[in-house]
Amino acid sequence: QVQLAESGGGLVQAGGSLRLSCAASERTSSSYTMGWFRQTPGKEREFVAAIRWNGGSTRYAGSVKGRFTISRDNAKNTVYLQLNSVKPEDTAVYYCAASSEMVIWTLSRRYDYWGQGTQVTVSS
């Protein structure tokens, strides 16, 4: 059982930056894909970015490409999401997730493990 814990959320002004962290409780398999999703009240969970532990291939949602960066630290078993040039519409609860599949899915149902989420609020 993989446990994920997000941290780093908070209040940030539009145009600012924030870094989210996701620590896994144990070393996930090198075949795992780690993803970040976000959700606002009344809406479905939305794919943000994902990265493969092995090789570091990444994928981004169009709405965040060029502003957000996903990275990993294998030694620390931690995945990061760097948020730059944030906008009010980036306000959401951000979730870290792990998928045992080798494909970088954007569908939340393809992810097996989830963290509790961390709130990001962007003020205008």
Side-chain angles (χ1 to χ4, degrees), residues 72-88:
R72 78 218 190 278
D73 186 330
N74 291 31
K76 295 183 178 180
N77 220 29
T78 300
V79 175
Y80 303 99
L81 185 68
Q82 178 69 40
L83 288 65
N84 295 331
S85 302
V86 295
K87 304 174 182 180

Side-chain angles (χ1 to χ4, degrees), residues 8-28:
L11 176 64
V12 60
Q13 287 189 331
S17 298
L18 206 61
R19 190 178 79 159
L20 307 182
S21 299
C22 171
S25 61
E26 63 183 66
R27 180 161 185 82
T28 51

Side-chain angles (χ1 to χ4, degrees), residues 57-71:
S57 298
T58 59
R59 187 170 181 177
Y60 294 92
S63 59
V64 306
K65 199 169 187 179
R67 299 189 299 121
F68 293 7
T69 302
I70 189 170
S71 61

Side-chain angles (χ1 to χ4, degrees), residues 38-51:
R38 64 188 182 186
Q39 190 171 24
T40 54
K43 293 188 177 181
E44 292 188 358
R45 203 162 288 190
E46 173 191 25
F47 172 79
V48 175
I51 188 169

